[in-house]
Amino acid sequence: MITVASLAPYLGGALALGGIAVAASRRRELLIRWCAWAVGVPLVTGAFWWGSPGAAAIAIAVGVIAVMEFGGLMQLGRADRVVLAAAVAGVVLAAWLAPGQELRAVAIGALAVAAVPLLSGDADHGLHRLCTGLLGLAWLSVLAALVPLGASALVLFVAVSVADIAAYFAGQRLGGPRLSPLSPAKRWSGTLAGVVAGVGVLAVLSALTWPMAVAVAVGGPAGDLLESMIKRGAQAKDAGHWLPGSGGLLDRIDSLLIALAVLLVLR
């Protein structure tokens, strides 16, 4: 069985090796990104070590930040963002405090999200606000899966992160056909290399099952393309500008979100 304690040495070792490689490269942007990881990895690992309360706390914090970034991209007003953030937090709390009631929490959240434009009588932009809010709820409520999955979710995040990095560098080196017009920089060669790297991480961490492998191979790239579609529609390069070396938080968890959804469906 995968535990956070068994993962900690691997995460610490990867962080240390990454620091050595970054120091050797002497590239400032990589150093900034590594410093962000050096803060984030221990924080997230510690939260998961705490168990369900820690996972719920991380999921709510990430969900609220992601809602604010998503709302900014989609030009949602303050009321829409607040209600959407509360709805996502409600689904996470249901996963922690009332397992089995997550779909009911999603339904209640959807009614709340729909009520905001309806009660404001917004005939001009109400449909956009409604559809955008429901998309955000369906997309970001998947974070509630962090609570029951626990250490498995942490492994999945590591695997899709490694897959993203491998896909980026391999695609630049190997070239070939583009993966999608939504993301012209991504190549099929890089995506396949990323899948191999991600599945390799699962094997090393003794977490290689066919649902996990499919989640990494299919969910990871699909999540990246979904966020690319949203950003292109909003004519934005990044979801935010506050996370050193990474843009916004959504830019870091986009692959994880759909990978979690795939894993939930297959399990």
Side-chain angles (χ1 to χ4, degrees), residues 63-107:
V64 169
I65 295 171
V67 164
M68 296 307 157
E69 293 181 352
F70 175 72
L73 288 172
M74 304 305 292
Q75 299 182 348
L76 289 178
R78 179 179 298 178
D80 297 273
R81 297 190 205 189
V82 169
V83 172
L84 178 56
V88 171
V91 179
V92 175
L93 289 174
W96 173 30
L97 301 174
Q101 300 299 317
E102 293 88 350
L103 290 180
R104 183 169 294 176
V106 170

Side-chain angles (χ1 to χ4, degrees), residues 139-194:
W139 188 27
L140 300 177
S141 289
V142 177
L143 288 166
L146 297 180
V147 179
L149 289 177
S152 295
L154 194 56
V155 170
L156 186 61
F157 179 58
V158 173
V160 296
S161 297
V162 170
D164 280 346
I165 295 170
Y168 174 76
F169 286 105
Q172 283 190 328
R173 291 292 183 89
L174 300 176
R178 289 184 172 88
L179 178 63
S180 168
L182 292 172
S183 188
K186 291 180 173 58
R187 310 282 178 166
W188 274 105
S189 59
T191 300
L192 294 176

